[in-house]
Amino acid sequence: MTLVKAYAAQAADQPLAPYSFERREPQAEDVEIKILFCGVCHSDIHTARNEWGGTVYPSVPGHEIVGTVTRVGSNVTRFKEGDTVGVGCFVDSCRHCSNCNDDLEQYCENGHTQTYNSLSQDKQYTTLGGYSSHIVVTQHFVLSVSDKLPLEKVAPLLCAGITTYSPLRHWGVKAGDKLAVVGLGGLGHMAVKLAASMGAEVTMLSRSPKKEKDANELGAHHFALTTDADTMAGLANTFNFIIDTVSAPHDYNEYLALLKTDGVMVLLGAPPEPTPVGAFPFIMGRRSLVGSLVGGIKETQEMLDYCAEHNITSDVEMININQINEAYERTLAGDVHYRFVIDMATL
């Protein structure tokens, strides 16, 4: 076992604080990684504060990990010491169900193992995440990271990047499609960048006029205030796709009306309460309301390679690990453009 330093939540109502624990020694298929940067996802906050229930304490969050390989197991063929690699939202799955066989490990029928606060496949331990100095992951779930891009800006691609890339690919977004993004945060800013890079005509839908300048700089072609009734009425039957990244309660019905016939609205945000939807927006336009998680390992590697080729990264604000509790409060207040990333050298 290897003793590693970390930051952990000890209870839902306590701030994160220094913590030490033991990682397993690398087994035959394992890769040991020294963590250089770890992004801060809203899911980290939900888990640390037990807002989704089921948090096992002490809890070490973090699933947007970029680092350097320090050791490999005897059967590892894909990586060697010194390689730059990434780890995303999950670190294992059953690997034999139909979804795993189709490179859809994120939808493992027997339950994938998330990077933190998740039972291992053998049910022997609860995972601890990337707010730590090192992590050990079986090679299948480790990703190659290009050194062409700033690594601190790559880290959020392991969650925010793949969460937005996956539905764009799955539903076949292409040049000329009219696509709207709801919510300009960690997910929303990546949706704008990626969709624009694929040739879509992108409109940012926001409640805040302050977001227009940023949206344009990120690549959006249009901006529309959702609080303006006339604007929303004028956008009826406009979009082929809507990417909804908002996790706060909001009315899906008003956005469904903006879709063209056969349009698709993809939910990426997860509001805490169920949202009622009427039948008529679907019936009158053969519209679809769908959801999407992250991508599988193959698709996540595809996304990382795509971003390296097209020079796409997240917009980040670097913090030291001792600023994590302040970063949580600022994230909740929307005071980040657009992802906090921890410099793990400060641990």
Side-chain angles (χ1 to χ4, degrees):
M1 304 292 280
T2 302
L3 188 68
V4 301
K5 296 190 294 183
Y7 257 58
Q10 298 286 346
D13 58 352
Q14 293 183 18
L16 275 69
Y19 175 66
S20 295
F21 66 95
E22 291 184 325
R23 293 277 191 202
R24 70 176 186 268
E25 288 291 303
Q27 302 300 304
E29 298 287 337
D30 285 340
V31 177
E32 181 188 73
I33 303 162
K34 177 182 179 181
I35 300 174
L36 302 177
F37 302 104
C38 186
V40 178
C41 177
H42 207 130
S43 299
D44 301 352
I45 304 173
H46 289 307
T47 302
R49 298 181 178 183
N50 199 29
E51 292 172 349
W52 288 338
T55 299
V56 177
Y57 295 100
S59 177
V60 178
H63 60 201
E64 298 178 347
I65 298 166
V66 171
T68 303
V69 175
T70 50
R71 288 190 290 173
V72 298
S74 58
N75 292 344
V76 173
T77 57
R78 297 176 54 230
F79 303 99
K80 65 183 185 303
E81 185 176 336
D83 285 351
T84 303
V85 296
V87 177
C89 297
F90 54 95
V91 292
D92 209 350
S93 70
C94 80
R95 297 187 239 179
H96 58 74
C97 70
S98 60
N99 281 339
C100 286
N101 288 335
D102 287 339
D103 298 312
L104 297 171
E105 301 96 336
Q106 75 274 34
Y107 302 123
C108 175
E109 294 166 2
N110 296 300
H112 65 254
T113 296
Q114 297 179 9
T115 307
Y116 62 85
N117 198 57
S118 185
L119 271 179
S120 60
Q121 288 294 302
D122 61 10
K123 314 301 183 188
Q124 295 301 303
Y125 64 91
T126 299
T127 53
L128 299 169
Y131 297 5
S132 56
S133 57
H134 292 75
I135 193 168
V136 178
V137 181
T138 189
Q139 67 170 329
H140 177 80
F141 295 87
V142 178
L143 298 142
S144 296
V145 172
S146 170
D147 290 319
K148 289 194 215 175
L149 303 175
L151 296 183
E152 70 276 12
K153 295 184 177 183
V154 170
L157 298 181
L158 276 303
C159 177
I162 186 57
T163 299
T164 48
Y165 182 91
S166 185
L168 295 175
R169 281 298 191 215
H170 179 75
W171 278 281
V173 173
K174 62 187 184 303
D177 284 336
K178 292 187 176 182
L179 180 144
V181 177
V182 185
L184 190 58
L187 291 177
H189 93 287
M190 288 307 308
V192 170
K193 288 187 177 189
L194 288 166
S197 77
M198 295 173 183
E201 182 180 333
V202 179
T203 298
M204 184 71 228
L205 301 176
S206 176
R207 297 176 59 85
S208 172
K210 296 178 181 177
K211 296 290 183 74
E212 183 170 8
K213 180 175 181 293
D214 280 1
N216 292 337
E217 291 176 351
L218 290 166
H221 304 92
H222 312 286
F223 181 88
L225 276 178
T226 59
T227 53
D228 187 311
D230 290 339
T231 295
M232 292 293 280
L235 290 174
N237 303 300
T238 293
F239 301 110
N240 304 104
F241 301 98
I242 296 175
I243 306 296
D244 186 345
T245 71
V246 176
S247 290
H250 60 293
D251 184 4
Y252 296 156
N253 297 281
E254 65 176 337
Y255 297 107
L256 287 166
L258 308 186
L259 290 171
K260 292 183 175 182
T261 301
D262 291 326
V264 179
M265 178 170 164
V266 185
L267 299 180
L268 302 182
E273 300 294 335
T275 302
V277 292
F280 282 103
F282 302 103
I283 292 171
M284 300 306 293
R286 203 164 60 191
R287 302 176 177 105
S288 300
L289 179 64
V290 301
S292 181
L293 193 61
V294 295
I297 295 300
K298 181 179 179 180
E299 188 174 53
T300 303
Q301 187 63 63
E302 176 189 307
M303 177 274 304
L304 288 170
D305 296 343
Y306 178 92
C307 288
E309 180 183 351
H310 293 84
N311 195 32
I312 296 172
T313 57
S314 294
D315 288 12
V316 307
E317 180 177 337
M318 295 297 297
I319 61 169
N320 295 339
I321 188 66
N322 62 8
Q323 297 173 294
I324 187 61
N325 294 298
E326 176 189 352
Y328 276 16
E329 296 306 321
R330 288 182 55 193
T331 298
L332 293 173
D335 180 24
V336 52
H337 293 79
Y338 280 95
R339 206 69 153 188
F340 286 115
V341 172
I342 307 166
D343 179 355
M344 298 308 300
T346 64
L347 181 62

